[in-house]
Amino acid sequence: MMIRTVATTPYDDQKPGTSGLRKKVPVFQQPNYAENFIQSVFDSLEGFKGKTLVIGGDGRYYNREVIQTAIRMAAANGFGRAIVGKGGILSTPAASNVIRKHGAFGGLVLSASHNPGGPNEDFGIKYNVGNGGPAPERITEAVFARSKEIDRYLISDGADIDIDEVGEGSVDGMTVEIIDPVADYAALMETLFDFAAIRAMFQGGFRMAFDAMHAVTGPYAKDILERRLGAPGGSVRNFVPLPDFGGHHPDPNLVHAKELYDLMMSAGAPDFGAASDGDGDRNLIIGKGIFVTPSDSLAMLAANAHLAPGYAGGLAGIARSMPTSAAADRVAEKLGIGLYETPTGWKFFGNLLDAGKVTICGEESAGTGSDHVREKDGLWAVLLWLNILAVRRQSVKEIAAAHWAEYGRNYYARHDYEAVDTDAANRLMAELRGKLADLPGMEVNGLTIAFADDFEYRDPVDQSVSRHQGVRIGFEGGSRVVFRLSGTGTSGATLRVYLERYESGPGRLDLATSDALAELVAAADEIAGIARHTGRTEPDVVT
Ligand code: G16
């Protein structure tokens, strides 16, 4: 085998978004496209010679090809060891765990998360650093800068590596270790949760439906929920990961997991329903007859986390992304612990977790996690819910009702306008930003604007500043609308509008969310001119 230096020319569109580089498969299939990006990552790092790189992905179309490329390029660039999930599979939280557990220098996680997969669908590459979390902006910016200048990449010339057997081999002096993708992760979960209590709950007749959406969580959920915890066979559905996710959109929301939702709302519903996404970091939680919003789930998990052995000592603090509802803030206040508001993107939680300032983090985008890894973790959230249900011996509905009675309720929804013309979306945001100073005091659809700003975050650990992270409009009485453009879409722009209204007191806790938010929806359109700019009168997805 030989190491080759291959001449290449830059692409100008390799700017990592909210979570790595995500593009359509045909874009990644252009000559040297993936190679350029991977080399740009390596060229932006220092001190990895002889160290370990973790490589894995969510099994989507094109995963196996890029895994082979990544292994050969890691060898050519001087890594000493590659740890690769068998079959090229590692869920995102499992990859984070493997990086941490094996003291790796970093990892390449191949995924486009909840986006669809297939020859004309989405693919992605993300670099994670040694703490197991997504690379911070300082690195992603360096990668983008490098990608615009790159003129060569290094690759080993060897034959394909067998990634389908657990064991060890080598490529040009680099050891390649193929590992069971589930084992380390399942062992970690056993240290955090009361498996005996959950097992007893299943033995007592508790029933659940977990939809793996033909994505990466299937093997993890089968092993943990059915084999280790004794959930009845069939509790885990759609558990065989497929390169195109069976033609579905592996996004655990009420639109794409509608079958699960309908089941959970039916008369014969099991006690608990859950789903995870393409790469296993998102979660959907539905009790019998009740959907729990991700923002509420974060608050309820934080309020009850002490019931699980891994969190019995209490929480250091809670972090949430800015567009996530303030439900968790009320829990933090009651617990007397810190609450941190960060920009959208799990990478912003890394420093807070490393510094021990927070234990639990969450985002409205169906992500919840803790300091056990440095990614959000779908199955972790499901297991924490199961642990809480096993200890409290109440239904999800009862737990939610008690929570709202104690803390009040943050009615919440996100409206997504997908594949909007990029120029129109940019114009909408620019116009909004241009009038922020004039908005306070204005009355819109009967609501008075109390403040309007463009969210800016100063990381309390490294003092780095991230600007333009979303426009916030706050109304008197505490309601809020947030506007931002998604950083994960692959066609056109996606406008996200986040709506929130707080209510407390008897008679105010059981409103239909759409009724509770109706006047905010109208106000949002009036302020931002959504229909005027985009031509859309309805969102494509409401979550
Ligand atoms: C990624 C990020 C999350 C973010 C989400 C949505 O999730 O890791 O932190 O909340 O995208 O981002 P945006 O609103 O910019 O589309 P995932 O599950 O896609 O990796």
Side-chain angles (χ1 to χ4, degrees):
M1 280 183 276
M2 226 181 90
I3 291 170
R4 280 197 299 141
T5 302
V6 181
T8 187
T9 49
Y11 288 91
D12 62 4
D13 63 347
Q14 298 199 322
K15 185 175 171 52
T18 310
S19 190
L21 183 69
R22 290 185 190 167
K23 300 280 176 195
K24 295 286 175 205
V25 167
V27 174
F28 268 104
Q29 286 170 327
Q30 297 174 91
N32 301 339
Y33 193 89
E35 289 85 346
N36 274 16
F37 187 73
I38 294 171
Q39 188 65 52
S40 299
V41 169
F42 293 160
D43 287 351
S44 306
L45 306 173
E46 269 171 28
F48 59 77
K49 299 276 179 214
K51 304 248 170 82
T52 300
L53 183 73
V54 171
I55 305 174
D58 63 8
R60 67 178 56 229
Y61 188 88
Y62 211 44
N63 192 57
R64 295 180 71 90
E65 289 83 348
V66 180
I67 294 270
Q68 294 289 347
T69 304
I71 294 173
R72 287 207 203 100
M73 289 185 65
N77 278 274
F79 278 95
R81 188 181 199 88
I83 300 181
V84 183
K86 184 178 159 204
I89 295 282
L90 277 176
S91 78
T92 293
S96 182
N97 180 45
V98 173
I99 293 170
R100 295 168 67 78
K101 183 165 178 177
H102 296 265
F105 185 85
L108 287 172
V109 183
L110 311 182
S111 168
S113 186
H114 52 290
N115 295 0
N120 292 307
E121 297 296 353
D122 294 8
F123 190 74
I125 305 179
K126 181 169 71 159
Y127 177 70
N128 280 26
V129 293
N131 73 353
E137 278 189 335
R138 159 177 61 78
I139 295 182
T140 55
E141 279 160 15
V143 172
F144 181 45
R146 180 66 193 143
S147 75
K148 289 189 283 191
E149 292 169 352
I150 194 158
D151 58 2
R152 61 92 186 92
Y153 64 85
L154 307 179
I155 190 159
S156 160
D157 235 358
D160 272 5
I161 298 99
D162 179 6
I163 56 171
D164 294 310
E165 291 299 328
V166 169
E168 247 182 50
S170 94
V171 178
D172 269 323
M174 180 184 80
T175 304
V176 181
E177 185 183 355
I178 309 295
I179 61 164
D180 172 348
V182 178
D184 286 337
Y185 178 83
L188 174 64
M189 293 301 117
E190 294 219 34
T191 68
L192 298 175
F193 302 114
D194 188 343
F195 271 38
I198 302 173
R199 210 177 290 120
M201 180 170 72
F202 280 120
Q203 272 161 8
F206 182 90
R207 293 288 169 267
M208 79 175 287
F210 180 89
D211 189 346
M213 304 189 90
H214 288 302
V216 78
T217 327
Y220 295 86
K222 264 276 183 203
D223 183 72
I224 296 172
L225 297 175
E226 292 189 8
R227 198 176 69 77
R228 296 178 194 239
L229 291 171
S235 297
V236 180
R237 298 149 179 245
N238 301 324
F239 56 84
V240 179
L242 299 173
D244 67 349
F245 308 113
H248 298 296
H249 211 116
D251 193 351
N253 62 29
L254 300 184
V255 175
H256 299 297
K258 183 159 189 318
E259 217 172 282
L260 178 73
Y261 178 76
D262 289 344
L263 171 72
M264 294 309 299
M265 296 302 136
S266 70
D271 302 288
F272 187 62
S276 191
D277 70 331
D279 62 332
D281 57 2
R282 295 185 173 208
N283 72 85
L284 169 70
I285 301 294
I286 316 180
K288 196 183 222 164
I290 179 173
F291 158 62
V292 184
T293 68
S295 294
D296 270 347
S297 180
L298 170 66
M300 291 171 194
L301 291 178
N304 292 285
H306 61 280
L307 301 176
Y311 307 93
L315 308 178
I318 306 172
R320 64 163 173 85
S321 67
M322 178 274 285
T324 304
S325 95
D329 303 27
R330 299 171 196 285
V331 176
E333 196 183 341
K334 186 142 198 175
L335 294 174
I337 57 177
L339 184 285
Y340 297 82
E341 188 179 30
T342 60
T344 294
W346 205 263
K347 58 185 174 234
F348 293 102
F349 294 140
N351 277 349
L352 298 171
L353 291 163
D354 285 352
K357 288 182 180 296
V358 304
T359 309
I360 281 190
C361 313
E363 295 188 280
E364 50 66 39
S365 56
T368 339
S370 86
D371 58 358
H372 67 293
V373 289
R374 293 293 181 273
E375 289 278 5
K376 56 188 185 271
D377 188 343
L379 210 40
W380 170 91
V382 172
L383 291 167
L384 182 49
W385 263 105
L386 287 173
N387 196 141
I388 292 165
L389 291 167
V391 174
R392 287 188 55 163
R393 296 166 189 271
Q394 287 173 306
S395 68
V396 174
K397 216 174 203 170
E398 287 163 341
I399 289 174
H403 187 94
W404 293 330
E406 185 172 354
Y407 297 95
R409 180 170 178 183
N410 292 69
Y411 288 94
Y412 188 86
R414 186 179 92 187
H415 289 192
D416 291 340
Y417 299 81
E418 294 178 341
V420 169
D421 176 66
T422 306
D423 290 340
N426 287 335
R427 266 198 305 275
L428 181 152
M429 290 303 293
E431 191 180 290
L432 203 48
R433 290 193 162 108
K435 65 181 183 190
L436 286 177
D438 304 329
L439 290 176
M442 233 164 93
E443 193 170 305
V444 188
N445 194 34
L447 297 164
T448 308
I449 298 178
F451 71 89
D453 65 7
D454 193 355
F455 182 58
E456 180 175 310
Y457 177 65
R458 177 182 289 274
D459 184 301
V461 179
D462 67 15
Q463 307 303 324
S464 59
V465 175
S466 303
R467 299 197 167 85
H468 306 302
Q469 297 297 321
V471 168
R472 307 190 286 188
I473 315 276
F475 299 94
E476 279 174 12
S479 295
R480 186 180 78 151
V481 181
V482 173
F483 300 88
R484 62 179 281 281
L485 299 183
S486 158
T488 58
T490 57
S491 31
T494 296
L495 171 68
R496 302 206 195 283
V497 183
Y498 311 83
L499 307 136
E500 176 179 1
R501 170 172 159 196
Y502 178 71
E503 288 286 348
S504 63
R508 306 302 301 160
L509 302 176
D510 283 316
L511 309 176
T513 299
S514 53
D515 294 343
L517 298 177
E519 59 183 13
L520 273 179
V521 173
D525 185 48
E526 201 175 321
I527 295 168
I530 300 171
R532 177 166 51 87
H533 284 288
T534 67
R536 309 282 180 85
T537 49
E538 294 288 329
D540 298 282
V541 178
V542 175
T543 49

